[in-house]
Amino acid sequence: MDIGSFQGESFGELQRMIDGLFAGRGAIDRFDLVVQAELMDLDDELMEIVNLVPPGTYDRTRLCDQLNSALAAHGWGSMLGTVE
């Protein structure tokens, strides 16, 4: 079976969002994350993951850890992709 068959339509969208958010920035806050996710019109599953991030300011590594933990807890990493 092809691994692509496990990937959802939104595979890689979180990575694109992270790349855009941290272009030229060292840290972002949760508000910036949520606003960007809404502007990108992410699907319901991705918005659920984004909304699980606690309030605070995040560098890229810490935010990716938060998002990847939420993806793993839902079992959605292979379907939606992880972030780095």
Side-chain angles (χ1 to χ4, degrees):
M1 188 179 318
D2 181 357
I3 188 134
S5 64
F6 292 113
Q7 295 177 352
E9 287 182 25
S10 298
F11 187 87
E13 288 294 312
L14 281 178
Q15 185 64 57
R16 283 186 280 283
M17 182 179 68
I18 293 298
D19 291 343
L21 280 169
F22 284 99
R25 296 166 76 179
I28 62 153
D29 60 30
R30 181 185 183 276
F31 180 77
D32 292 332
L33 173 68
V34 173
V35 168
Q36 185 62 32
E38 289 174 354
L39 287 172
M40 290 180 67
D41 196 27
L42 296 183
D43 67 19
D44 291 341
E45 288 87 7
L46 292 176
M47 285 305 299
E48 184 174 341
I49 297 299
V50 166
N51 285 318
L52 289 172
V53 173
T57 301
Y58 295 86
D59 65 18
R60 185 177 182 126
T61 301
R62 185 168 168 239
L63 180 59
C64 289
D65 288 347
Q66 286 285 326
L67 293 169
N68 288 334
S69 291
L71 287 162
H74 281 74
W76 292 346
S78 61
M79 183 177 73
L80 299 175
T82 56
V83 291
E84 53 185 50

